[in-house]
Amino acid sequence: MVIFLASWAMMFAALFFSYAMLRQASAAWPPLDYKRLPLLLPGINTAVLIASSVVLQRGVFSHRRGQPLLPWALATLALGIAFLALQTVVWSSLWRGGFKISSGHYGSVFYLLTIFHAAHVLVGLGLLAALLPGSGQKSARRPSPARVTLTAMFWHFVDIVWALIFVMVYVV
């Protein structure tokens, strides 16, 4: 998992580097014909993902003590789905306002980073859903501690990447 995450970290680093180079080469950022990106909903989304990591980590600790993972995994799934729903609201609002992938470097790099991240959130949701069978029991059907830990590592990675996207793309 560490090697897998390191390879994805390099991919996101390349995307962040491309973003920084485009931003540095521009006379103004955002370009003068575009408004700054909204902060409120993406800020709420950041809080949702941070909460999801906290909830999942509590579940990991609970699972290690032999307690059911199910409520923690379900709560993390719900928060992840809420993140995607809120991100869809952000995208559709920006799109209706004329900010599209075809809006030059600014639009293309924004959508590339955020959609690529959303794809990883979907993978994380799939990994979380795969933990559900047996996660409410104290039986041999429980997911292994290693599987739970590896899933949590991936989820935390996705959350950290979002925090970087939020700061670099929305705030700075």
Side-chain angles (χ1 to χ4, degrees):
M1 180 59 82
V2 171
I3 292 169
F4 174 75
L5 292 179
S7 69
W8 284 111
M10 287 187 274
M11 175 62 82
F12 274 106
L15 292 172
F16 285 130
F17 182 76
S18 297
Y19 173 81
M21 293 301 295
L22 289 170
R23 186 175 177 152
Q24 182 67 26
S26 293
W29 200 268
L32 298 176
D33 10 351
Y34 295 101
K35 300 183 287 186
R36 291 197 57 82
L37 294 169
L39 283 175
L40 180 62
L41 207 48
I44 292 169
N45 245 356
T46 302
V48 166
L49 274 188
I50 290 168
S52 75
S53 268
V54 170
V55 167
L56 182 56
Q57 195 56 44
R58 296 235 10 220
V60 170
F61 294 148
S62 176
H63 187 263
R64 286 181 188 157
R65 290 189 306 270
Q67 298 168 343
L69 174 66
L70 186 62
W72 306 103
L74 287 173
T76 305
L77 273 167
L79 289 165
I81 291 167
F83 170 85
L84 288 177
L86 290 171
Q87 190 59 37
T88 301
V89 171
V90 171
W91 288 326
S92 62
S93 170
L94 290 170
W95 196 273
R96 281 191 315 272
F99 187 61
K100 301 181 179 184
I101 294 171
S102 60
S103 299
H105 295 309
Y106 189 49
S108 62
V109 76
F110 167 79
Y111 285 105
L112 176 64
L113 276 168
T114 58
I115 291 171
F116 194 59
H117 176 264
H120 284 78
V121 171
L122 283 171
V123 170
L125 290 174
L127 292 171
L128 286 164
L131 292 177
L132 294 179
S135 67
Q137 305 169 14
K138 295 182 181 181
S139 72
R141 287 182 14 127
R142 288 173 29 127
S144 72
R147 205 166 133 215
V148 172
T149 299
L150 293 174
T151 298
M153 285 174 65
F154 182 82
W155 192 256
H156 297 324
F157 169 79
V158 168
D159 291 359
I160 289 167
V161 168
W162 176 258
L164 291 171
I165 290 172
F166 177 69
V167 169
M168 285 184 64
V169 175
Y170 288 95
V171 177
V172 177

